[in-house]
Each structure stands twice: as structure tokens, then as C-alpha cells.
């Protein structure tokens, strides 16, 4: 099919070589199908024996239908017939692949093969109801060994052997030599450095396709141009052809997936390739008239060294196109569309790729890690990025891709790689708690800023002529920022209900920010003389200063409690727990002191304040300060319950 795409897009220089390559791939597929039938029949005859599947062989020859992997295990012998689920499909595949295998041999004028092919394929059993007899299977897969050629009976397996011999001869005639893995013919000596540069890139990253077929390269000279073609993978319309003339490298790329076309362009972005507009193409020679995208990009090198660098880079990127769309689909349950594309591009840029992830099971491997570590954090249908957040989910999937590729390249077992993935995911779930504690600390820092503003305003209330308008305005901005952090905690609790304690904690602590912001507004009225009041002073103002100082100290202890909570683990150092509990106790103790300070202030205000409006402001400010302390105490008790019950108790 690759050769037909070449013909459809007007690039026929490499068609003969591509035909032979397609036919040799078909040979591998036919042999796999023969082995599959034989092994399934053997298991049906001896079901007590262990099953040895052919999954690796299927994938190595480029057959994507994973349902065939179950044929051996499900094979049964009934009433003298083998019931082989998928047998009818196998027969259709054999017919198709035999035609592909014979096509270049017949086109080369080799006589007799067309008649033999037709006669043998016409005699194939249809496998109605997925049933075959032992005679059917023997006729398909066995090769008679009569020594007398005149008496030898023809068979499909013998035809396969004869075609394979002819194909090897055709390939030998085409390819004058192998150059760093590329089959080349008709090259000038000056062409070889370009082929070597391209193959240097292909070979550097080819290991990242693992056992997937693909990346076979052919090169030849066509007039003034060197032409290099790479088969990439096994998709019919997935072709790349490179033309090199002087220092101009032109790439023609076709693909059935427009998204992968854009991905290919993104990979080459560092080299400043000039692309024409993508256009759709279609050929009747393709199965079902399959449409495909076609793009052409040109690169003008400044010198030969730059041209070699570009060819090496281009060759190194091709492995990341294999199974790209499959990998993109596998990531649907974990990332949104733009993030999936971002991760796949990152994996290519960092020479990790996505094939390693697919080798260890793809989405199944990640889902098993989630089941083992998430607990109640995720419910059925949740997407990982909606639970962890986009940034952490992207970081985790990047780790999975790198761990899978690196592990497989270094011979690590799937079990070890999967354990590393689970450990990393557990760290992300644990980090989620630390992140939320960080949000709570940021919120506490804003409460401290407002409390400090209020304290400074109280200290200058009897001396400043400007009032507290600027301080009140800053307090209002800080309180707005604190509200945004509460919204973030609510969103985190929506994603992860098991973290709802942080929503409660921040909503409670935010009452302190609200009360303090109200105090800042009232303090401007008290200190600025806007109501025609006398300047505050005397013992009443001093008492208010004492209450404001207690508030600042309580906010400091609240920040300490949150900081210590981030270090409390089970098991963990006793000192961390002691520091945390001490800070919690100090918040409660300061709240108790604030109750006494508020009563003392109220007594003095009633005794010494002659203006009822000023009395009201003193009372309202002291109430606000005390209520902010009360909110911090309740928030600290919520945090204490979480740490003792969930962190240490859990």
C-alpha cells in the first residue's frame, strides 16, 4: 500500500523497491497466520497444555488486530472440526497477503505464479462459522517433502516459499548495498554522506519503537536528486519521501490523521522548515478511497554541515510518529486534548517517546496505578487532570512515558516499571495535601498582612492627621486575594472530595480576613475624624492597641501551625508533631487572652468615652478583632483534627 501512496502523490522513483518491501512484509504476515492456525489446532487437541500466544509475532509483522491473540486459548475441537474464533478473518487475511506477496513477482514477468496463486486461493476453505478441519489446516500450512519434483503436490506453503525466494532475488537486484541500514541503489559517492546522516538520526532513536515494525529506509538517485523514502510504520497512507538537491532538502509527508501532520510540523519547528499549505489527496488505489493529508516542507541549508544536521534531526524524529494517534487516544482518560498533544511533543523533544507507554499496557498501566494508590480520591469517570490538577497530571504522565521508555531500554521488567509509576503517583497524591497546605499558608499570610495593617493603624490612631484610608484600601485588596485562595480550595475539594477538610479550613479562616477588613474600615472612621469625633487616646486606645497586638501574634502562630503541619508524617520525627501542637495551643491560648482583653476594653470605653458614636466604634472594632481570633481558633482546631485523625491516625 505504501507503493500505491507513492504513485498517488506522483513519486514513483521508489515504487519497485516499495513493492518488494510490501511483499516481504506480507510474507511475514502469512507465516504468522500459518503458525496461528497450527498452534490453535494443537491447543484444541491438547487443551491441558500451557498456551503460548503469538502476540509479539503478530505485532512484529504489523497486524494490529489484537483479537487474534485469543484464538489459541479459545480454540476447541468439536465433532471432528476445530472451532477457531476468528478463523474466517484469518482466511481473508491470508488471501489478501498472498496477493500482496505475489504482486511484484508477477509484475517482474515471472511465469506460472499467477496461475498457481489463483488455483490455490480458489481452493481455500471459507472457514464458515469459524470452523476448519484438520485436513483444511494441513493443506494450508504444511509443505510436502516428496523428493521427486514430478510427483510433488503444490500447496500454499510451498507457494509462499517460492515467492519468498523470488522476492529476495528482486530485492538483491534492486539494492546494490546496505548503507547504515538503508537499502540503496544507483547512488553517487557524493550521495552517501547524506544517507548516512539521515540514517544516523533514524538509528539513534529507532530503539524507541521497541518491537513495532517500521522505519525501513530505501534510497536511490533520480536525475539530479537523491531520493530517500522511509516507511515509518504500518499505516497504509503514512509515507515520507525526502528529496535532496544541492543544499535544498524537500520533505513530502502524507498521513490520514491531520493532527499527526501538525505534530510532525511541530517536531521540525526548531529547524525553520518552510511548509506549503496542507492539502487533501485521495486515490482509488487506496482501500475504500481513503483520503489523506499531504504536506511539503523545504529546508535550505547554509552549508553541508547544516544540511547533515537537518537530515540527522529529521531521521531521529520519525520513530515518534509510529502509533502516535493510538497513544493520543490512550491518554484521553488522564489529560485534556491540548495537554495530550503537549505531552506527546515533550516526549519526542526529550527522546522518550510514547511507544514505551504502549508497550507496558498504555492506559491500563496508568489505571492500575490509580486503582492501587488513589483510594477514595478518584471516582469512576474522573479524569486524572481534574483530580490532581492540570500541572501535576501533565508532570505525572511525562514521568510515566520517560520511565517506561528508559526502563524497557535498560532491560527493566514491566513489574518494576509499574511499581515506579505507582510510587510516583502516590507522591503526587501526597503532594496534593502539601499543595493545599501551601494554599492555606498563603491565605494565612494575607490574614497576617491585614492584621499588621490594623495594628499599625491602631498604633498611630491618636497621632495621624491622615486617618487610615490608605490602610483600609490595602486591607480590602488583601481580603480580595484571600477570597481567591478560598475559591481555589473549593475547586480542589470538588476535584477531590477526600480533601474537603481544606475547603472547611480556609472558609473558616477566611472569616478572620473578613472581620479584620471590616475593622480596617471602622478604624478609618475612628482615627480620621471624619465624623467630627475627638481624636482617640488615653487608656481606651491603649487597651485597643493591646487587643490588636494579640491578633497579630495569633496570626503568626496560625502561620507556624500550617508550616509545621506540612512536616508531620506517620511515622515521623516527634519534634515536628510537638512544634505543630504547640502552635495550635498558642492560637487557642491567645484567643482566650483576647476575650479578656476585649472585656477590659469594653469596660474602659464605657467609662471614658463621652461620644456614643466613638463608643460604638470602639465596641465594633473590639468585636471584629475578637471574632477574627475566634475564627483562627476554629480553623486551628479543624487542622488539628485532620492531622491527628487523618495524617497520624491514617
Amino acid at each position: 500500500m505504501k507503493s500505491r501512496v507513492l504513485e498517488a502523490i506522483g513519486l514513483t522513483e521508489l515504487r519497485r523497491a516499495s513493492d518488494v518491501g510490501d511483499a516481504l512484509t506480507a510474507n511475514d504476515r502469512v507465516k504468522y497466520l500459518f503458525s496461528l492456525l497450527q498452534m490453535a489446532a494443537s491447543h484444541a487437541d491438547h487443551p491441558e497444555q500451557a498456551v503460548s500466544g503469538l502476540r509479539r509475532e503478530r505485532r512484529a509483522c504489523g497486524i494490529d488486530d489484537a483479537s487474534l491473540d485469543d484464538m489459541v486459548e479459545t480454540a476447541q475441537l468439536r465433532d471432528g472440526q476445530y472451532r477457531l474464533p476468528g478463523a474466517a478473518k484469518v482466511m481473508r487475511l491470508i488471501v489478501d497477503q498472498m496477493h500482496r506477496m505475489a504482486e511484484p513477482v508477477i509484475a517482474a514477468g515471472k511465469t506460472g505464479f499467477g496461475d498457481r496463486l489463483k488455483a490455490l486461493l480458489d481452493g481455500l476453505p471459507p472457514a464458515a462459522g469459524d470452523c476448519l478441519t484438520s485436513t483444511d489446516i494441513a493443506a494450508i500450512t504444511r509443505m510436502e517433502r516428496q523428493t521427486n519434483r514430478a510427483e510433488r503436490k503444490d500447496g500454499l506453503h510451498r507457494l509462499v516459499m517460492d515467492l519468498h525466494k523470488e522476492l529476495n532475488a528482486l530485492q538483491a537486484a534492486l539494492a546494490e548495498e546496505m548503507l547504515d541500514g538503508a537499502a540503496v541503489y544507483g547512488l553517487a559517492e557524493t550521495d552517501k554522506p547524506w544517507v548516512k546522516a539521515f540514517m544516523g538520526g533514524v538509528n539513534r532513536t529507532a530503539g524507541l519503537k521497541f518491537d513495532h515494525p517500521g522505519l525501513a529506509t530505501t534510497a536511490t538517485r533520480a536525475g539530479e536528486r537523491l531520493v530517500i523514502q522511509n516507511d515509518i510504520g504500518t499505516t497504509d497512507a503514512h509515507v515520507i519521501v525526502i528529496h535532496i538537491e544541492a543544499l535544498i532538502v524537500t520533505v513530502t509527508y502524507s498521513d490520514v490523521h491531520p493532527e499527526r501532520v501538525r505534530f510532525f510540523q511541530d517536531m521540525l519547528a526548531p529547524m525553520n522548515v518552510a511548509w506549503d499549505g496542507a492539502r487533501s489527496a485521495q486515490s482509488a488505489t487506496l482501500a475504500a478511497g481513503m483520503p489523506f493529508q499531504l504536506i511539503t516542507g523545504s529546508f535550505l541549508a547554509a552549508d553541508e554541515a547544516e544540511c547533515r544536521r537537518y537530515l540527522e534531526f529529521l531521521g531521529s524524529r520519525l520513530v515518534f510518529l509510529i502509533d502516535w494517534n493510538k497513544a493520543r487516544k490512550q491518554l484521553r482518560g488522564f489529560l485534556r486534548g491540548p495537554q495530550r498533544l503537549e505531552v506527546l511533543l515533550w516526549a519526542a523533544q526529550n527522546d522518550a517517546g510514547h511507544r514505551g507507554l504502549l508497550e507496558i499496557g498504555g492506559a491500563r498501566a496508568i489505571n492500575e496505578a490509580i486503582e492501587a494508590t488513589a483510594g477514595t480520591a478518584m471516582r469512576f469517570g474522573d479524569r486524572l487532570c481534574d483530580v490532581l490538577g492540570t500541572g501535576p497530571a501533565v508532570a505525572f504522565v511525562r514521568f510515566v512515558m520517560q520511565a517506561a521508555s528508559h526502563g524497557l531500554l535498560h532491560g527493566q521488567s514491566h513489574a518494576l516499571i509499574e511499581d515506579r509509576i505507582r510510587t510516583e503517583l502516590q507522591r503526587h497524591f501526597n503532594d496534593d495535601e502539601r499543595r493545599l497546605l501551601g494554599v492555606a499558608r498563603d491565605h494565612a499570610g494575607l490574614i497576617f498582612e491585614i492584621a499588621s495593617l490594623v495594628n499599625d493603624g491602631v498604633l498611630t490612631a491618636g497621632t495621624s492627621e491622615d486617618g487610615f484610608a490608605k490602610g483600609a484600601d490595602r486591607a480590602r485588596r488583601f481580603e480580595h486575594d484571600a477570597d481567591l485562595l478560598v475559591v481555589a480550595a473549593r475547586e480542589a475539594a470538588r476535584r477531590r472530595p477526600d480533601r474537603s477538610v481544606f475547603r472547611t479550613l480556609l472558609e473558616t479562616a477566611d472569616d478572620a480576613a473578613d472581620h479584620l477588613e471590616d475593622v480596617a474600615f471602622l478604624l478609618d472612621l475612628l482615627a480620621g475624624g471624619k465624623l467630627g469625633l475627638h481624636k482617640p487616646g488615653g487608656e481606651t486606645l491603649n487597651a485597643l492597641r493591646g487587643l490588636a497586638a494579640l491578633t497579630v501574634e495569633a496570626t503568626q502562630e496560625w502561620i507556624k501551625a500550617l508550616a509545621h503541619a506540612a512536616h508531620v508524617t506517620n511515622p515521623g520525627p516527634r519534634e515536628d508533631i510537638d512544634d505543630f501542637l504547640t502552635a495550635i495551643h498558642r492560637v487557642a491560648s491567645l484567643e482566650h487572652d483576647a476575650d479578656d482583653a476585649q472585656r477590659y476594653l469594653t469596660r474602659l470605653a464605657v467609662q471614658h468615652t463621652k461620644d456614643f458614636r466613638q463608643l460604638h466604634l470602639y465596641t465594633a472594632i473590639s468585636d471584629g478583632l475578637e471574632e477574627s481570633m475566634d475564627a483562627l481558633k476554629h480553623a486551628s482546631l479543624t487542622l488539628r483534627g485532620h492531622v491527628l485523625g487523618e495524617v497520624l491516625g491514617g
Side-chain angles (χ1 to χ4, degrees):
M1 297 300 284
K2 303 275 188 190
S3 63
R4 297 172 190 175
V5 175
L6 290 174
E7 181 181 15
I9 62 179
L11 298 168
T12 59
E13 297 95 335
L14 296 171
R15 177 169 181 184
R16 288 184 63 199
S18 184
D19 281 339
V20 174
D22 282 349
L24 288 170
T25 299
N27 173 69
D28 293 337
R29 292 171 178 171
V30 168
K31 289 178 178 178
Y32 155 75
L33 295 168
F34 285 0
S35 298
L36 182 63
L37 291 175
Q38 289 176 318
M39 189 168 290
S42 176
H43 179 66
D45 290 334
H46 306 285
E48 74 283 357
Q49 295 182 358
V51 176
S52 177
L54 293 173
R55 175 176 175 269
R56 183 176 294 273
E57 289 79 359
R58 172 185 61 77
R59 297 179 64 183
C61 70
I63 294 178
D64 294 330
D65 191 346
S67 67
L68 297 178
D69 297 339
D70 299 327
M71 179 186 285
V72 175
E73 188 173 3
T74 57
Q76 294 178 325
L77 180 60
R78 292 181 180 177
D79 301 325
Q81 284 192 321
Y82 293 108
R83 172 74 170 87
L84 310 177
K89 183 190 304 180
V90 167
M91 300 309 295
R92 291 192 296 271
L93 283 171
I94 289 174
V95 171
D96 177 65
Q97 298 303 314
M98 287 300 302
H99 279 295
R100 293 191 184 200
M101 191 177 178
E103 185 175 341
V105 176
I106 296 171
K110 302 294 183 178
T111 60
F113 284 99
D115 293 338
R116 289 177 64 190
L117 178 69
K118 183 178 186 309
L120 289 169
L121 294 185
D122 287 346
L124 283 180
D130 284 336
C131 291
L132 292 170
T133 66
S134 59
T135 303
D136 292 334
I137 294 175
I140 295 168
T141 62
R142 291 181 187 172
M143 184 172 65
E144 300 296 334
R145 296 185 175 276
Q146 294 96 330
T147 57
N148 187 340
R149 290 180 61 88
E151 297 178 358
R152 186 175 67 186
K153 183 180 178 181
D154 200 8
L156 198 60
H157 197 162
R158 180 163 297 282
L159 177 59
V160 169
M161 300 292 287
D162 292 343
L163 285 171
H164 193 188
K165 181 179 178 181
E166 295 293 338
L167 289 170
N168 286 337
L170 287 173
Q171 187 180 54
L174 286 171
E176 296 174 351
E177 63 176 309
M178 297 298 293
L179 186 60
D180 292 350
V184 301
Y185 55 99
L187 295 189
E189 283 300 316
T190 54
D191 294 329
K192 293 183 179 181
W194 306 132
V195 177
K196 286 185 175 183
F198 178 76
M199 291 307 298
V202 171
N203 294 330
R204 180 171 67 82
T205 58
L208 291 169
K209 72 182 178 69
F210 300 101
D211 65 351
H212 196 285
L215 300 184
T217 304
T218 308
T220 189
R221 172 155 285 277
E224 298 298 318
R225 299 181 300 176
L226 168 64
V227 184
I228 302 174
Q229 186 253 328
N230 186 281
D231 70 3
I232 307 180
T234 58
T235 304
D236 287 341
H238 203 191
V239 173
I240 185 168
V241 177
I242 302 110
H243 289 153
I244 306 165
E245 186 173 1
L247 293 178
I248 300 174
V249 181
T250 304
V251 174
T252 302
Y253 176 74
S254 68
D255 200 326
V256 296
H257 299 295
E259 300 86 355
R260 188 161 54 185
V261 172
R262 289 191 291 272
F263 174 77
F264 178 62
Q265 292 174 301
D266 289 341
M267 283 200 297
L268 296 186
M271 303 304 291
N272 296 317
V273 178
W275 298 100
D276 67 358
R279 61 188 187 275
S280 294
Q282 185 168 325
S283 170
T285 61
L286 293 178
M290 181 190 298
F292 55 94
Q293 293 286 307
L294 186 66
I295 58 169
T296 302
S298 298
F299 177 80
L300 175 59
D303 51 35
E304 291 186 357
E306 186 179 42
C307 189
R308 285 194 296 270
R309 282 195 298 272
Y310 172 65
L311 287 169
E312 190 277 337
F313 181 73
L314 174 61
S316 72
R317 300 302 89 190
L318 301 188
V319 71
F320 305 118
L321 298 169
I322 296 175
D323 273 349
W324 180 88
N325 199 52
K326 182 177 181 181
R328 182 171 66 102
K329 291 178 180 178
Q330 292 279 299
L331 296 177
R332 281 176 177 169
F334 316 110
L335 300 173
R336 296 182 183 88
Q339 285 73 49
R340 296 202 301 272
L341 300 179
E342 173 194 330
V343 164
L344 289 168
L345 184 59
W346 174 91
Q349 292 169 338
N350 289 271
D351 285 354
H354 51 267
R355 281 286 311 140
L357 170 62
L358 298 179
E359 284 288 316
I360 65 169
R364 176 190 56 76
I366 298 179
N367 282 324
E368 287 178 352
I370 291 173
E371 291 173 7
T373 59
T376 59
M378 289 188 69
R379 296 165 295 181
F380 179 77
D382 284 347
R383 190 159 44 185
L384 189 64
C385 63
D386 294 329
V387 175
L388 286 183
T390 298
V394 166
F396 170 68
V397 175
R398 285 181 176 182
F399 173 86
V400 172
M401 287 187 162
Q402 199 157 49
S405 295
H406 180 274
L408 291 174
L409 287 175
H410 289 79
Q412 295 176 1
S413 67
H414 285 206
L416 175 57
I417 296 169
E418 289 163 1
D419 282 346
R420 293 184 64 204
I421 291 171
R422 289 171 187 163
T423 302
E424 178 69 10
L425 185 58
Q426 184 64 63
R427 186 182 70 79
H428 276 284
F429 279 117
N430 291 341
D431 282 352
D432 196 44
E433 168 126 352
R434 296 189 186 95
R435 281 193 297 273
L436 287 170
L437 281 169
V439 171
R441 287 198 302 274
D442 291 343
H443 186 271
L446 292 170
I447 297 175
F448 170 75
E449 293 292 344
I450 302 173
S452 297
L453 284 172
V454 168
N455 187 55
D456 293 343
V458 172
L459 289 174
T460 59
T463 59
S464 174
E465 298 294 333
D466 298 331
F468 194 60
K470 291 182 179 179
D473 185 61
R474 290 185 64 195
R476 185 164 53 251
R477 292 198 298 271
F478 283 137
E479 191 273 335
H480 172 72
D481 292 342
D483 285 342
L484 295 179
L485 294 177
V486 175
V487 171
R490 287 172 180 156
E491 176 61 20
R494 184 193 64 78
R495 296 195 310 261
R496 292 194 57 178
D498 60 322
R499 294 291 186 255
S500 60
V501 64
F502 288 97
R503 178 189 61 206
T504 302
L505 187 149
L506 261 77
E507 287 176 344
T508 303
D510 198 55
D511 289 342
D514 292 340
H515 290 309
L516 288 170
E517 193 268 331
D518 288 340
V519 166
F521 167 74
L522 296 172
L523 186 59
D524 183 39
L525 298 179
L526 178 69
K530 296 180 179 180
L531 302 178
L533 302 176
H534 294 291
K535 286 186 177 181
E539 291 182 74
T540 305
L541 181 59
N542 287 335
L544 181 59
R545 288 168 176 166
L547 181 56
L550 287 174
T551 305
V552 172
E553 188 176 355
T555 60
Q556 291 173 322
E557 293 299 327
W558 174 232
I559 292 173
K560 289 180 185 178
L562 289 165
H564 292 313
H567 298 286
V568 174
T569 57
N570 183 20
R574 182 177 299 168
E575 293 79 5
D576 291 337
I577 301 173
D578 288 343
D579 290 342
F580 168 73
L581 293 175
T582 298
I584 293 293
H585 174 75
R586 283 290 296 153
V587 173
S589 178
L590 288 167
E591 191 275 336
H592 179 74
D593 293 343
D595 286 341
D596 293 339
Q598 183 201 23
R599 294 189 184 99
Y600 177 63
L601 171 60
T602 300
R603 186 182 307 112
L604 290 175
V606 170
Q607 289 176 351
H608 300 292
T609 303
K610 295 181 171 48
D611 190 310
F612 77 92
R613 295 174 299 172
Q614 196 172 59
L615 173 63
H616 171 72
L617 289 173
Y618 272 124
T619 302
I621 291 171
S622 66
D623 286 346
L625 292 173
E626 194 281 330
E627 286 170 349
S628 68
M629 298 275 280
D630 195 51
L632 292 180
K633 183 186 77 170
H634 285 299
S636 69
L637 292 177
T638 298
L639 180 62
R640 175 182 178 276
H642 171 68
V643 170
L644 296 183
E646 298 296 327
V647 178
L648 296 177

